[in-house]
Amino acid sequence: MSENDEYISYLLSYIGETGNRVAFSKEETQAKIRLVNEMKKLGLDVYTDEAGNIYGLLYANNEKNDSDSMDVIGIGSHIDSVPGGGNFDGLVGILSGLAAIKTVKKEEIKENIAIIAFECEESSVFGKSCLGSKFISKQISIEKLRAITIVSSDFDDGFGLTYGEKLDECNKYLQLPLLNKIINFKTFYEPHIEQGPMLVDSNKKIGVISSIAAPIRVKFTLTGKGGHDGTVPMTSRRDALVGFNELYNIYRGLRHRMDINDRLRTNIGVVDIENASINRIPGKLSTTVSARGLDENLMNKFMEELISRVEVQLPDLNIEVHTERLEQGKPLNLNPKLVDKIRKNAEKYPTLEMWSGAGHDTVYMNKICKEGAAVFFIPNTGISHENSEYAKTEDITLACHILENLIKSE
Ligand code: GLV
Ligand code: MN
Ligand code: MN
């Protein structure tokens, strides 16, 4: 095992030991505390911002920057994970950044570096993704961000129901100073596990990413009437689950009729029956439908059609529908010059040209980086957003080598 491999394994087990890092959970907060310890051990100046993102700053030529703004190269990814998720999605991008700056000699660092751990990239808790990077890139105001509410009662853990309440609770444990300067990003690099099978199946080591798909996400709340499951005759029920069944048939029918196949990746991720009980008629439920891909027109057409049919057909079954649009993403083509830079730095490894079906903080960082932002992939065993997610340490080390070269070439 190389020194780099050992450091990566140590970080993965130390930070990963806290367990599944659902945004603002006890486990995520503990992982953030551990990450901050490690950043400080590397001599980074550590801050948080109003959205709960963490920044570890390394100053070029070892000169602390006391001015109220600084130019940086950003490196990182998200610290949170989906419920039941693994240890690698997100964390790999942060840890490989730490390992890279540990290895590069200080005199070779000509630009300030910010290692960033984004908060709430996953849409699990709030139904919207990349909230930390949306805040950094000014796509959402602090007032709107703090007011966002949890998408499902599963995330009511007593830490509050809004982003702001949950963040304040977690910050009591984290105790970090607020970032007190403006950060101007020159570029941002996000190493990430592939989360799918293509690198492993093709025996390649680095995925060079040219575009990132975007999601549309919609939440439907279906309201019927709850009641005793033994006393209310079947003929007079308004079962919200019957409404869901209709919604599901509409969803399946549309996929078939529009001949969507793999052109859009759609998902019904949440079916949340309020006060579910074995002996209660489901009176109210919420469900989420997402669609993602590179074809924005197709995405919009599918979702418009779905919403309009659901809103017409469910009331016919005496089920009320409330529709909330949670997210309206736009697919992104990355700056070809930056993609080429990644390609050149990765050329000694077998590479695969690909696009990303998953969303990434890179999409939002790209909006504010002078020279753009880029994500690149290392292999994992093909499964992600699952506990069995796994990437080899030696493959994470490849991401570190690429970062080291990128840092030295700035
Ligand atoms: C991020 O994990 C996503 O859902 O794309
Ligand atoms: Mn993810
Ligand atoms: Mn991710």
Side-chain angles (χ1 to χ4, degrees), residues 209-213 294 330-336 339 355 366 373:
I209 310 304
S210 48
S211 350
I212 302 179
L294 292 179
K330 271 190 174 307
L332 175 73
N333 293 324
L334 298 173
N335 177 353
V339 177
W355 57 277
N366 187 63

Side-chain angles (χ1 to χ4, degrees), residues 237-302:
R237 291 192 183 191
R238 293 174 58 212
D239 185 334
L241 208 47
V242 171
F244 174 77
N245 183 51
E246 183 75 359
L247 180 151
Y248 185 71
N249 286 337
I250 298 170
Y251 163 91
R252 293 274 302 187
L254 270 181
R255 282 201 54 93
H256 182 70
R257 197 142 24 80
M258 290 173 70
D259 200 20
I260 281 174
N261 299 313
D262 201 35
R263 290 186 297 148
L264 265 193
R265 296 181 179 158
T266 61
N267 189 40
I268 298 187
V270 171
V271 184
D272 193 10
I273 301 176
E274 193 176 275
N275 298 323
S277 169
I278 196 164
N279 56 357
R280 187 169 184 278
I281 301 164
K284 186 169 180 182
L285 70 77
S286 55
T287 184
T288 57
V289 182
S290 64
R292 39 177 150 188
L294 292 179
D295 184 339
E296 200 179 352
N297 284 338
L298 185 66
M299 249 167 35
N300 284 329
K301 200 162 162 231
F302 172 79

Side-chain angles (χ1 to χ4, degrees), residues 78 82 89 121-123 129 192 195 217 292 357-360 385:
H78 56 102
V82 299
D89 175 9
E121 188 267 356
E122 301 292 359
S123 43
S129 57
H192 204 283
Q195 306 185 267
R217 297 186 165 108
R292 39 177 150 188
H360 297 288
H385 285 188

Side-chain angles (χ1 to χ4, degrees), residues 169-360:
E169 197 59 37
C170 291
N171 275 342
K172 287 187 192 158
Y173 300 92
L174 199 61
Q175 299 279 349
L176 271 181
L178 259 190
L179 186 66
N180 56 0
K181 53 176 114 264
I182 295 168
I183 304 267
N184 303 311
F185 289 91
K186 182 177 169 199
T187 44
F188 173 76
Y189 299 116
E190 182 171 13
H192 204 283
I193 56 167
E194 182 209 333
Q195 306 185 267
M198 289 170 67
L199 287 171
V200 169
D201 288 354
S202 59
N203 217 5
K204 306 283 193 206
K205 285 295 181 190
I206 302 294
V208 176
I209 310 304
S210 48
S211 350
I212 302 179
I216 303 188
R217 297 186 165 108
V218 173
K219 177 177 175 180
F220 294 100
T221 305
L222 312 185
T223 309
K225 197 164 176 37
H228 193 297
D229 76 319
T231 59
V232 182
M234 299 306 285
T235 44
S236 54
R237 291 192 183 191
R238 293 174 58 212
D239 185 334
L241 208 47
V242 171
F244 174 77
N245 183 51
E246 183 75 359
L247 180 151
Y248 185 71
N249 286 337
I250 298 170
Y251 163 91
R252 293 274 302 187
L254 270 181
R255 282 201 54 93
H256 182 70
R257 197 142 24 80
M258 290 173 70
D259 200 20
I260 281 174
N261 299 313
D262 201 35
R263 290 186 297 148
L264 265 193
R265 296 181 179 158
T266 61
N267 189 40
I268 298 187
V270 171
V271 184
D272 193 10
I273 301 176
E274 193 176 275
N275 298 323
S277 169
I278 196 164
N279 56 357
R280 187 169 184 278
I281 301 164
K284 186 169 180 182
L285 70 77
S286 55
T287 184
T288 57
V289 182
S290 64
R292 39 177 150 188
L294 292 179
D295 184 339
E296 200 179 352
N297 284 338
L298 185 66
M299 249 167 35
N300 284 329
K301 200 162 162 231
F302 172 79
M303 206 51 102
E304 293 306 328
E305 198 61 23
L306 178 79
I307 292 172
S308 67
R309 283 170 194 254
V310 166
E311 287 181 348
V312 168
Q313 287 175 226
L314 270 63
D316 282 351
L317 298 171
N318 216 357
I319 302 293
E320 284 165 31
V321 182
H322 177 260
T323 306
E324 185 186 356
R325 287 173 177 270
L326 297 172
E327 189 134 51
Q328 182 73 37
K330 271 190 174 307
L332 175 73
N333 293 324
L334 298 173
N335 177 353
K337 275 198 191 147
L338 200 58
V339 177
D340 202 44
K341 196 165 174 184
I342 303 274
R343 189 179 288 118
K344 289 213 169 80
N345 273 286
E347 73 192 354
K348 62 175 172 226
Y349 312 112
T351 57
L352 184 68
E353 300 288 324
M354 52 194 298
W355 57 277
S356 173
H360 297 288

